[in-house]
Structures are given as structure tokens and as C-alpha cells.
């Protein structure tokens, strides 16, 4: 069984690392807030005091953190992963970050004669718990083949996309579709609500209709109940939209609908909803349109 290091025990990292433990691997964890490791330590994982210590003792080192600056601090910082690497290790980042941020990390890891896989995921916390995530990977092919059994312990659908930053770009493309879907759902739901229809029934019909994607199905409970506890926060979605705009500029692509949705996300954050699930866009629009649920 592999010696695995895991850095980042947030909404996603926690269930994903537990699935590696369940698959029988030896898992050592580090998280900025140690209390979030309590559960996995009780289940048999080990604790490391720094990301550097993880790199010194493990063969596969995973990171699942909020954003690019955090990825850079846990890898390139003084007590970061790179400082603890020796040759032939495989570092795998599963966070959503930009290609530019990713390349810097890759170069530092390759300078230590190690390999870096970019492996962002599709699917949210429930899929992370059920080990049914989609995993989009790019980077060295031989390293991917070695890591595949570990990916299979966390996800149902595996995609190898190329030797460099391909997975980063595709992940951002998917996330703008997800965010825009949430704004479309908001507009359709608020129209129906203001016309007097029952929100739970409206969501049920939408989820079963031609536009009923898996995403609409996952979000119908939050939108119906009005309880927008975050599976994926507004703040993180705003981060991904901004990364997508940077990529769109680089590749000369217009994204007008994405731009409008970014403004809706801003309104959500500006009204104190930054830590709510991004499907809170329905509530933002209800407020803007003067609608109060019965
Ligand atoms: P989260 O719950 O907010 O967790 C973020 C993690 O990053 C935590 O471990 C947090 O540590 C750590 N972190 C944040 N700032 C840090 C810093 N300055 N130094 C060290 N560690 C820091 O986020 P998440 O939902 O798990 O998402 C993780 C990544 O997966 C993100 O890139 C996100 O875009 C992507 N993603 C999320 C979903 C989803 O549905 N949630 C789906 C697909 C992809 P603390 O515990 O100390 O705060």
C-alpha cells in the first residue's frame, strides 16, 4: 500500500483523504487548522507538523487547498512540500488553480527530480464522500499511471488530458458552466415563485425536465429549503470565474454570459453571502425583485 501525504482538509479534502484511508493506504495529513484533522486521525491517519515533513515521509503528496496562493504557500514556502522532497516522488494537486500558478509549482517540483500531476475534480462534497468524483488529470503520463489506483479510490470517472496544464483549463471551463447554470436556475425559479407557484414543486419539475442536469438535481434541495449551507462557496466560485476570465483573455475568447453571472456572484458576496453555497443566487434575485417566500 502507498505512503500518502494529504495537505488540506476542507469540505473536499476531508472526505477525499478518508477514502484513501478506507482503501487501506497509510495516510499522513496536515491542515492549517488542526482541529479539522480530528476525525481522520481518529480513523487511523497520522499527523505531520508541516507540509515539508509530509514530503519527507510520503511517496505521493496530495494538495487540496482553497486557491493558487495557498497552493504556492504550502508547496513553495519555507516549510512547504518542495523543501522536503527527494527524487522520484509524485506531487498531485487537486485544487482549482490557474495554469500560471500551476506552472510555477511544477517547475520547482521538477527541479527536485519529482513529478507534478494537476488533478482538479468535478463534483462536490457528496460525490467526494461517495468516491464518485470526476478527476481531470494532466502531467507526466508514467506518473499518472502510478497514481491511477489512488484516483480510483476517490473518483468514478478518470480522464487523462495531456502532459501539461490541460486539466486546469478544462476545470475552469466546467466551472463557468456550473455557475451560469445557477444564475439561469435563479431567474427561472424566481419567475415561477412570483407567479404564485410552489418553489419545491418548481425545482422538482426542473430537475426532471430536459434542462434537469445532475447539477440542478443536486441543488434543488438547497433552493427549495432556502438553506444554502455551502458545498461550494460563492467566494470559491468567484475565484474560478476570475481564473476563467484570465484564461479567456490569454486565448482571446469572449464570455459575455459568464461576465453577467460574475456580477450576480459579486452581489451575493456584497450582501454577506460569500460563504454560502453558490446556488444562493436564487435568494439574491428574490431580494432584488422584492420577493419574500411565504
Ligand atoms: P474549503 O472547504 O474552503 O477548504 C480550503 C482548504 O484550504 C482548507 O484546508 C483550508 O485550511 C486551506 N487553506 C485556505 N487558506 C489557507 C492558507 N492561507 N494556508 C493554508 N491552508 C489554507 O474548500 P473546498 O471546498 O474543500 O475546496 C478546495 C479546492 O477544491 C478549491 O480549489 C475549490 O475550488 C476546489 N473544488 C471545490 C469543490 C466543492 O464543491 N467544494 C468542488 C470541486 C473543486 P483551514 O481548514 O485551516 O481553513
Amino acid at each position: 500500500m502507498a505512503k500518502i501525504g494529504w495537505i488540506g482538509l476542507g469540505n473536499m479534502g476531508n472526505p477525499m483523504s478518508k477514502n484513501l484511508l478506507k482503501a487501506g493506504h497509510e495516510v499522513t495529513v496536515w491542515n492549517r487548522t488542526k482541529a479539522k484533522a480530528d476525525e481522520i486521525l481518529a480513523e487511523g491517519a497520522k499527523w505531520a507538523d508541516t507540509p515539508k515533513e509530509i514530503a519527507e515521509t510520503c511517496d505521493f503528496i496530495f494538495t487540496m487547498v482553497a486557491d493558487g496562493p495557498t497552493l504556492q504557500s504550502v508547496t513553495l514556502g519555507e516549510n512547504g512540500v518542495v523543501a522536503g522532497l527527494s527524487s522520484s516522488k509524485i506531487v498531485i494537486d487537486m485544487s482549482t488553480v490557474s495554469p500560471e500558478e500551476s506552472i510555477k509549482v511544477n517547475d520547482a517540483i521538477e527541479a527536485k527530480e519529482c513529478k507534478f500531476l494537476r488533478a482538479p475534480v468535478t463534483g462536490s462534497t457528496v460525490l467526494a464522500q461517495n468516491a464518485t468524483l470526476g478527476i481531470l488529470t494532466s502531467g507526466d503520463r508514467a506518473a499518472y499511471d502510478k497514481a491511477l489506483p489512488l484516483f480510483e479510490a476517490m473518483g468514478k470517472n478518470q480522464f487523462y488530458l495531456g502532459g501539461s496544464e490541460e486539466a486546469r483549463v478544462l476545470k475552469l471551463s466546467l466551472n463557468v458552466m456550473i455557475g451560469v447554470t445557477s444564475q439561469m436556475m435563479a431567474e427561472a425559479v424566481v419567475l415561477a415563485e412570483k407567479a404564485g407557484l410552489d418553489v419545491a414543486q418548481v425545482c422538482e419539475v426542473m430537475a426532471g425536465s430536459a434542462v434537469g442536469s445532475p447539477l440542478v438535481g443536486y441543488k434543488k434541495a438547497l433552493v427549495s429549503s432556502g438553506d444554502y449551507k455551502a458545498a461550494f462557496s460563492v467566494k470559491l466560485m468567484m475565484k474560478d470565474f476570475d481564473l476563467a476570465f484570465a484564461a479567456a483573455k490569454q486565448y482571446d475568447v469572449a464570455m459575455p454570459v459568464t461576465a453577467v453571472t460574475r456580477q450576480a456572484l459579486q452581489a451575493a458576496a456584497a450582501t454577506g453571502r460569500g460563504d454560502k453555497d453558490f446556488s444562493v443566487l436564487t435568494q439574491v434575485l428574490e431580494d432584488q425583485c422584492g420577493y419574500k417566500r411565504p
Side-chain angles (χ1 to χ4, degrees):
M1 285 295 159
K3 283 184 96 175
I4 293 170
W6 192 280
I7 295 162
L9 296 168
N11 290 334
M12 295 294 285
N14 223 308
M16 291 167 74
S17 54
K18 281 184 190 163
N19 283 332
L20 290 171
L21 195 65
K22 271 187 220 146
H25 300 291
E26 187 181 319
V27 179
T28 305
V29 300
W30 179 85
N31 193 57
R32 178 181 60 173
T33 309
K34 191 177 177 190
K36 289 194 194 167
D38 287 350
E39 271 184 33
I40 193 166
L41 294 178
E43 289 176 23
K46 294 181 186 165
W47 174 259
D49 284 330
T50 60
K52 179 180 174 205
E53 194 182 315
I54 290 215
E56 284 164 352
T57 54
C58 300
D59 301 320
F60 294 88
I61 300 114
F62 286 86
T63 50
M64 187 54 164
V65 293
D67 52 22
T70 306
L71 174 65
Q72 294 190 352
S73 86
V74 300
T75 53
L76 310 179
E78 194 187 340
N79 282 313
V81 169
V82 171
L85 283 178
S86 49
S87 67
S88 307
K89 302 206 173 190
I90 298 176
V91 183
I92 303 168
D93 175 57
M94 305 191 81
S95 327
T96 307
V97 307
S98 73
E100 289 75 17
E101 292 160 331
S102 181
I103 287 166
K104 282 187 198 152
V105 174
N106 176 67
D107 292 350
I109 289 168
E110 285 199 338
K112 290 280 186 113
E113 293 173 0
C114 295
K115 298 296 182 196
F116 182 50
L117 294 175
R118 300 74 160 168
V121 301
T122 66
S124 194
T125 47
V126 175
L127 277 67
Q129 282 153 18
N130 300 340
T132 53
L133 292 166
I135 303 181
L136 314 175
T137 309
S138 57
D140 182 76
R141 176 76 213 205
Y144 174 74
D145 291 339
K146 286 186 194 158
L148 189 55
L150 306 181
F151 291 145
E152 284 169 347
M154 294 184 278
K156 189 174 63 163
N157 297 315
Q158 312 299 333
F159 302 93
Y160 178 75
L161 298 161
S164 180
E165 300 300 330
E166 294 84 350
R168 302 296 194 193
V169 178
L170 184 54
K171 171 63 191 166
L172 296 176
S173 299
L174 287 172
N175 263 28
V176 297
M177 267 186 87
I178 288 169
V180 167
T181 300
S182 182
Q183 176 63 12
M184 279 186 343
M185 192 168 171
E187 294 178 20
V189 166
V190 176
L191 173 63
E193 280 187 303
K194 282 199 87 172
L197 282 94
D198 173 67
V199 65
Q201 199 175 26
V202 168
C203 290
E204 203 55 52
V205 172
M206 283 176 180
S209 75
V211 292
S213 64
L215 179 72
V216 173
Y218 303 145
K219 297 302 176 189
K220 71 180 180 187
L222 283 75
V223 172
S224 302
S225 67
D227 176 8
Y228 294 98
K229 184 176 181 306
F232 185 56
S233 69
V234 166
K235 279 183 194 158
L236 286 180
M237 186 60 93
M238 285 166 65
K239 178 247 320 177
D240 291 353
F241 268 54
D242 292 342
L243 298 179
F245 289 138
K249 194 169 176 188
Q250 184 183 349
Y251 294 105
D252 202 11
V253 175
M255 302 181 89
V257 177
T258 306
V260 170
T261 304
R262 176 65 176 80
Q263 296 302 314
L265 290 164
Q266 192 73 51
T271 50
R273 296 171 170 109
D275 292 320
K276 297 286 183 190
D277 192 81
F278 68 95
S279 58
V280 78
L281 292 180
T282 297
Q283 191 183 67
V284 173
L285 191 63
E286 284 170 348
D287 283 1
Q288 288 170 343
C289 298
Y291 180 71
K292 281 221 178 314
R293 287 192 183 180

